[in-house]
Amino acid sequence: MCNINVQGHHIEVTKSIQTAVNQKFSKLKGISPATSAALNFKQEGKIFEVHLIYHTKQSEIVVKKKNDDLYTAISQAFDVAIRKVKALKPNHRATLCAPEPEQQDAA
């Protein structure tokens, strides 16, 4: 099972930050399991920058988000990653619901 590596640049990774990341990460893993994942964040003035890297068997997803609230930036980064993972998955419903071709009788 893959865990996410969380690192803060000159910012301590508190239990509440780790909990917020783990909650979002579990949603993302439920859609497409990761082979590796990392979340790095830093503060530039009053703005937090979050950098999320998520590797699956099929692809690598990289998301960068900036916000004046760290938790909002983390949430936004994971929301974008979830949308990107969902976009990569094929839409099986379209093939399941497609009408079957009509057969012609041989006369």
Side-chain angles (χ1 to χ4, degrees):
M1 176 171 259
C2 179
N3 291 321
I4 187 165
N5 181 18
V6 181
Q7 294 182 339
H9 184 67
H10 299 297
I11 302 173
E12 179 185 354
V13 180
T14 63
K15 286 183 181 181
S16 62
I17 293 171
Q18 187 69 50
T19 300
V21 169
N22 287 340
Q23 287 175 346
K24 292 289 188 174
F25 182 60
S26 66
K27 289 181 184 179
L28 186 55
K29 282 194 312 186
I31 298 168
S32 181
T35 56
S36 68
L39 182 114
N40 301 305
F41 56 89
K42 62 182 177 180
Q43 186 174 10
E44 296 176 352
K46 294 183 179 181
I47 302 296
F48 292 96
E49 182 178 325
V50 173
H51 187 212
L52 173 64
I53 303 170
Y54 191 78
H55 293 268
T56 66
K57 290 181 181 178
Q58 297 85 9
S59 66
E60 174 187 71
I61 295 170
V62 178
V63 179
K64 289 184 183 179
K65 281 294 180 182
K66 293 182 180 183
N67 198 294
D68 60 351
D69 180 68
L70 177 59
Y71 293 94
T72 302
I74 290 169
S75 182
Q76 290 173 343
F78 275 101
D79 290 345
V80 170
I82 288 170
R83 283 195 304 272
K84 286 185 174 187
V85 166
K86 285 182 177 179
L88 293 173
K89 294 188 92 164
N91 187 354
H92 293 291
R93 182 179 176 152
T95 57
L96 293 175
C97 296
E100 294 183 22
E102 294 182 22
Q103 295 181 359
Q104 296 180 356
D105 293 330

